[in-house]
Amino acid sequence: AGQNVDLRVVSESHPEINRAPRKIASDDWPALGDLDLASGLIVQGRVVDAMNKSPVADASVYLNSTNRSHSMVTTPGREKGILMVTDASGNFRFENAPRIGSVNIKVEADGYAVTNLLGQQIRIDSVNQMNIEIEPGRSITGVVIDDQGQRIRGVKIVASGLSSKTPQTAQAYSDDQGEFEFTALRSGPYRLKASASNFTDVDVPLAITGEDIKVV
């Protein structure tokens, strides 16, 4: 009672709908009327290895509407978007894509770099076919030490891509030995930022995949 409540309706076959938050009094039984679910659009495709064109099974494919201004907080369980997992042939199929606006698609798979397709326009009068090539993940490894040469655990390191071919941001933490590793980056240049309690933030302006970095 007295709290703002936010109503969401989710379906595997329909776009999500949302009713704006409203404050509910202890004796209030608000009538919302019928909640009409629209027919979802179909977005389907295949995820393949960019090198040998073989299908990638068990890849996580997330679909998000770019028109999310109505919602300050994502629906629980859909923080990354609607999830589909590719089958043995690398195929995925969404039947509940939104009917308005464009969509973003993210693909995550073990051993591969995260791949994003942003602002994809979808048609309402046909099946939307999207075949996605993903690259094997490249690594940046390193160690974090203080100015006395002692290794530091629990340091947060953020890697940000520096070119249009590396449009991604990743995050890692140093382990008990002060070592860290990014394993699913696209090949190319990155900027690293390290931060930890009781230490000043440090920028590494250029780190290339395949390198081993010392952060002081």
Side-chain angles (χ1 to χ4, degrees), residues 1-8 19-25 28 73:
Q3 299 295 316
N4 286 328
V5 295
D6 189 23
L7 179 67
R8 313 283 176 100
R19 289 293 179 265
R22 59 180 294 172
K23 186 170 289 188
I24 306 298
D28 190 13
V73 179

Side-chain angles (χ1 to χ4, degrees), residues 1 3 7 18 62-63 74 84 88 92 99 137 142 144 149-151 184 195 212:
Q3 299 295 316
L7 179 67
N18 172 272
Y62 298 95
L63 183 145
T74 56
M84 289 291 166
F92 65 90
R99 300 183 63 85
V144 185
Q150 300 298 311
R151 298 187 177 208
S195 58
D212 191 67

Side-chain angles (χ1 to χ4, degrees), residues 1-211:
Q3 299 295 316
N4 286 328
V5 295
D6 189 23
L7 179 67
R8 313 283 176 100
V9 181
V10 298
S11 165
E12 295 301 318
S13 303
H14 306 85
E16 182 178 314
I17 63 172
N18 172 272
R19 289 293 179 265
R22 59 180 294 172
K23 186 170 289 188
I24 306 298
S26 59
D27 57 351
D28 190 13
W29 291 84
L32 299 181
D34 293 342
L35 300 174
D36 296 324
L37 293 173
S39 298
L41 300 183
I42 295 175
V43 176
Q44 66 183 27
R46 192 166 181 248
V47 177
V48 300
D49 186 300
M51 304 298 290
N52 57 30
K53 312 305 179 185
S54 62
V56 179
D58 298 323
S60 296
V61 184
Y62 298 95
L63 183 145
N64 250 326
S65 171
T66 58
N67 184 27
R68 300 176 67 180
S69 59
H70 69 283
S71 176
M72 294 297 293
V73 179
T74 56
T75 300
R78 291 187 168 184
E79 289 80 6
K80 292 184 179 181
I82 309 167
L83 171 64
M84 289 291 166
V85 177
T86 58
D87 62 19
S89 298
N91 296 312
F92 65 90
R93 179 182 172 93
F94 295 94
E95 297 181 353
N96 55 352
R99 300 183 63 85
I100 299 176
S102 56
V103 297
N104 297 328
I105 295 177
K106 172 184 281 189
V107 182
E108 298 178 351
D110 289 343
Y112 289 89
V114 175
T115 299
N116 292 287
L117 278 67
L118 304 178
Q120 301 297 302
Q121 296 293 328
I122 54 178
R123 297 174 58 88
I124 65 173
D125 56 355
S126 64
V127 173
N128 295 274
Q129 185 75 25
M130 298 184 183
N131 296 322
I132 305 170
E133 296 185 356
I134 59 177
E135 299 178 4
R138 299 292 305 278
S139 66
I140 293 177
T141 59
V143 63
V144 185
I145 62 173
D146 63 19
D147 54 5
Q148 304 299 314
Q150 300 298 311
R151 298 187 177 208
I152 310 172
R153 69 181 299 275
V155 179
K156 177 182 176 182
I157 304 100
V158 176
S160 302
L162 291 176
S163 77
S164 60
K165 294 183 178 180
T166 57
Q168 70 179 108
T169 300
Q171 181 176 296
Y173 288 86
S174 60
D175 61 17
D176 290 342
Q177 302 302 314
E179 298 176 353
F180 65 89
E181 181 177 17
F182 296 95
T183 60
L185 300 177
R186 301 187 72 171
S187 180
Y190 290 81
R191 173 190 176 192
L192 303 185
K193 181 175 182 178
S195 58
S197 299
N198 302 319
F199 292 91
T200 57
D201 293 351
V202 171
D203 282 336
V204 178
L206 179 63
I208 306 296
T209 48
E211 288 188 337

